[in-house]
Amino acid sequence: MGIQADAIVSGAGEGLARLVVLMGPEPGRRYTMGGSGCVVGRAEDCDVQLDDSKISRRHIRIRASNGRWLAEDLRSRNGTLVNGEALEAARELKVGDRLQLSAETVLLFTRQDPLEDLLVHRQQMEVIGHLAAGIAHDFNNLLNVVEASTTQLRKLDPATPLGDPMVAECHADIRAAGRRAAELTTRLLAIAGRRAKPDEASEPAVIDLSALTSDILHVVRRTFGATIEVEAHVTSGLSVSGDRSALHQVLMNLCLNARDAMPDGGTLRVRATHDPEKERVVVWISDTGVGMDERTRARVFEPFFTTKPREPGSGLGLATVFEVVSRHGGSVEVESSPGAGSTFVVSLPAVSSAPPSARPSIDRRASTWDGRVAPRDVARVLVVDDQELVRRSLGRLIAAYGHDVTLAADGLEAVEQYQAASPPPDLVLMDLDMPRLSGEEALVQILAFDPSARIVLISGFNDESHRRHLIRQGAIDLLGKPVDANDILECIRTALVTPAEPR
């Protein structure tokens, strides 16, 4: 059975059909069926896999038969409705039929139209271009933090100790900017369809909104320039539930909007507090800028509406704010008048703060160490990446913890070095996307040479399904870029205490 999701099928025949998600996970997503049909359900081997706990693992089959499309319920636990009628036997589907698999999931059966695909593809590319430009705008602000902090460090006396407050502050800013940049990249990859959306990849977390707001204010003060005065009052202990990177984008977009409304300078005021009567966390972001008239204020949350000069990325910031806040069960309102500035009010459901949980252990192959062999302290690590800066920085980090490091520029060089090494490396830390020989291809060749090799792959495009595939291929794990140092050290520790054992 063949299935193509969100894809253009050029030269498709008249017999190709499509399922469109009307309600449920990823509304609007389209699945174009191959000539034999598809199976729909929650299981990984289903052609159309839907993330809805109320549908069965293998819920319904749609198959071609003598020029017709037949739907057949696979003894699902809650049954299937076609246009409101229970599907009790194989039934022919007509264009426009609606298949209800649960209270939350409804699919539309229709024909695949290549011209419609082309139009949608062009629209998606246009939107991605605008969104990418908008995210690049935020990214440049973070690069400004890195540039300003590194410049400050270069100006310090060479004898300045690492524990100096200024060194510590610059170091913290660079790390924070790096984390925010990684979050922005994740969101851009989600838009491009290269990995799961952040909101779908993990359960909502309890977020310290006070700390998040303070982090943003710290960046704002360092990057907005001397003409913008920042006043802030943030109550401590404010907690909400949701996606931290999305809420960071909300508050940063509102601060950027306030800055742009004050081209000649002014005052940015940020206030965050708890409303005990409504059990809400409320954030006010105000500016003393040009303000808006009633007509502009009424349209301010519309996608692509902007009063700024038309540039790539303009007109999406406030639409994104509205969408993200709504998705978090909150509301956003604006008060403004010409010449009197603007105030945006974000209200989110408050939750009880919870102590931070311990960092979850990496779900990799369990150690088989039986305790009879004392683990060594120094590991032999082969670091493989085609980007010299990445390769060198990872190697330097691992060496700083006392391990022996060898570097390789691509998969082919990694295979050659591994085969020539005696003794072999305890761990191979290898990029997935490389020229000449990819990380996955090198994984297969190294394991063919040494089935007990321990290999961890890293990638900027990691998703859970690909991770599981690579582990089945023999990898220990797939880590996402930027790689957390604690994850690398945990991989090394596991390699040192786990005896070589063929997989």
Side-chain angles (χ1 to χ4, degrees):
M1 297 180 188
I3 193 80
Q4 293 183 334
D6 295 318
I8 296 176
V9 185
S10 59
E14 287 292 321
L16 288 183
R18 163 172 293 161
L19 294 174
V20 180
V21 180
L22 296 181
M23 290 176 50
E26 298 183 272
R29 186 170 184 180
R30 302 166 302 154
Y31 296 90
T32 300
M33 290 179 280
S36 57
C38 69
V39 173
V40 182
R42 288 187 297 111
E44 288 184 23
D45 60 348
C46 286
D47 304 298
V48 176
Q49 184 181 357
L50 300 174
D51 185 15
D52 179 352
S53 61
K54 294 183 175 60
I55 68 175
S56 297
R57 290 181 55 79
R58 294 172 63 85
H59 196 102
I60 185 175
R61 175 185 289 115
I62 300 175
R63 57 186 175 86
S65 175
N66 298 323
R68 302 181 302 161
W69 290 98
L70 301 179
E72 176 187 1
D73 187 88
L74 299 177
R75 297 182 179 178
S76 62
R77 57 184 177 181
N78 295 322
T80 301
L81 299 179
V82 178
N83 300 330
E85 298 179 1
L87 180 61
E88 297 178 351
R91 168 175 172 169
E92 182 179 357
L93 293 178
K94 303 293 186 181
V95 171
D97 283 349
R98 297 189 176 206
L99 291 76
Q100 183 168 345
L101 279 58
S102 74
E104 286 79 25
T105 299
V106 178
L107 306 178
L108 173 70
F109 178 80
T110 185
R111 294 289 184 183
Q112 187 267 345
D113 185 346
L115 292 179
E116 178 190 357
D117 284 337
L118 183 59
L119 176 60
V120 170
H121 180 68
R122 287 177 175 173
Q123 291 172 338
Q124 288 175 338
M125 292 303 296
E126 180 181 356
V127 171
I128 288 173
H130 283 287
L131 289 171
I135 290 177
H137 184 258
D138 292 347
F139 202 90
N140 280 332
N141 278 298
L142 297 172
L143 291 178
N144 193 31
V145 173
V146 175
E147 178 64 24
S149 299
T150 54
T151 299
Q152 181 67 34
L153 290 173
R154 286 198 301 270
K155 289 184 177 181
L156 295 176
D157 189 304
T160 304
L162 291 177
D164 182 85
M166 179 59 69
V167 175
E169 182 178 348
C170 290
H171 176 257
D173 286 353
I174 292 171
R175 282 184 58 85
R179 288 194 296 270
R180 296 293 87 76
E183 291 169 356
L184 284 175
T185 303
T186 297
R187 302 194 71 81
L188 187 56
L189 290 173
I191 292 166
R194 292 300 301 268
R195 62 179 298 177
K197 294 183 178 68
D199 299 314
E200 298 168 353
S202 59
E203 293 296 322
V206 175
I207 300 163
D208 185 341
L209 199 71
S210 302
L212 177 62
T213 306
S214 297
D215 287 347
I216 291 170
L217 287 169
H218 193 70
V219 173
V220 164
R221 287 190 172 102
R222 293 179 70 91
T223 60
F224 274 19
T227 61
I228 304 294
E229 181 182 356
V230 180
E231 297 178 1
H233 176 74
V234 179
T235 303
S236 61
L238 301 176
S239 297
V240 298
S241 176
D243 179 348
R244 190 181 192 280
S245 65
L247 293 177
H248 181 281
Q249 184 181 17
V250 164
L251 299 181
M252 180 59 77
N253 273 338
L254 290 175
C255 288
L256 290 170
N257 191 72
R259 180 201 62 183
D260 294 343
M262 300 182 288
D264 299 322
T267 302
L268 168 64
R269 296 185 178 91
V270 178
R271 183 162 67 97
T273 188
H274 177 244
D275 182 346
E277 293 184 3
K278 298 180 179 179
E279 279 302 312
R280 312 283 281 188
V281 172
V282 186
V283 182
W284 290 265
I285 297 180
S286 305
D287 64 71
T288 57
V290 296
M292 296 177 280
D293 57 27
E294 183 63 26
R295 181 179 179 183
T296 301
R297 189 184 66 80
R299 300 187 60 193
V300 72
F301 295 116
E302 293 180 13
F304 299 106
F305 174 77
T306 180
T307 58
K308 305 173 188 177
R310 178 58 67 180
E311 317 176 320
S314 62
L316 279 167
L318 294 179
T320 300
V321 166
F322 184 85
E323 190 271 333
V324 170
V325 172
S326 298
R327 194 169 68 242
H328 282 75
S331 63
V332 56
E333 300 175 353
V334 58
E335 302 171 1
S336 185
S337 58
S342 303
T343 299
F344 286 84
V345 184
V346 175
S347 174
L348 295 165
V351 298
S352 299
S353 59
S357 58
R359 186 177 66 88
S361 59
I362 301 170
D363 181 20
R364 59 171 58 87
R365 295 179 181 273
S367 170
T368 57
W369 180 48
D370 58 10
R372 290 178 295 181
V373 180
R376 290 180 286 109
D377 294 327
V378 178
R380 299 177 295 272
V381 182
L382 174 59
V383 176
V384 190
D385 200 295
D386 60 304
Q387 297 293 320
E388 183 181 0
L389 285 175
V390 176
R391 182 170 70 245
R392 195 170 64 218
S393 61
L394 283 177
R396 187 168 59 241
L397 171 66
I398 295 170
Y401 284 93
H403 301 293
D404 293 334
V405 178
T406 305
L407 304 179
D410 55 47
L412 185 60
E413 189 175 322
V415 172
E416 293 171 349
Q417 289 198 24
Y418 193 98
Q419 293 175 344
S422 181
D426 297 297
L427 180 71
V428 179
L429 185 66
M430 182 161 53
D431 187 38
L432 188 60
D433 302 285
M434 295 183 293
R436 294 214 297 171
L437 198 67
S438 71
E440 183 172 355
E441 292 168 332
L443 166 77
V444 172
Q445 292 192 22
I446 291 175
L447 288 175
F449 174 77
D450 178 8
S452 64
R454 304 174 185 89
I455 303 172
V456 172
L457 294 164
I458 56 177
S459 174
F461 303 125
N462 63 313
D463 61 68
E464 187 57 30
S465 61
H466 197 193
R467 175 178 175 272
R468 291 194 297 266
H469 165 73
L470 292 170
I471 289 177
R472 287 194 295 267
Q473 291 281 87
I476 292 176
D477 204 355
L478 172 65
L479 304 180
K481 288 183 177 180
V483 187
D484 187 278
N486 291 324
D487 286 349
I488 295 177
L489 295 176
E490 175 66 11
C491 290
I492 295 173
R493 186 198 66 80
T494 302
L496 285 176
V497 302
T498 306
E501 180 179 288
R503 294 182 175 83

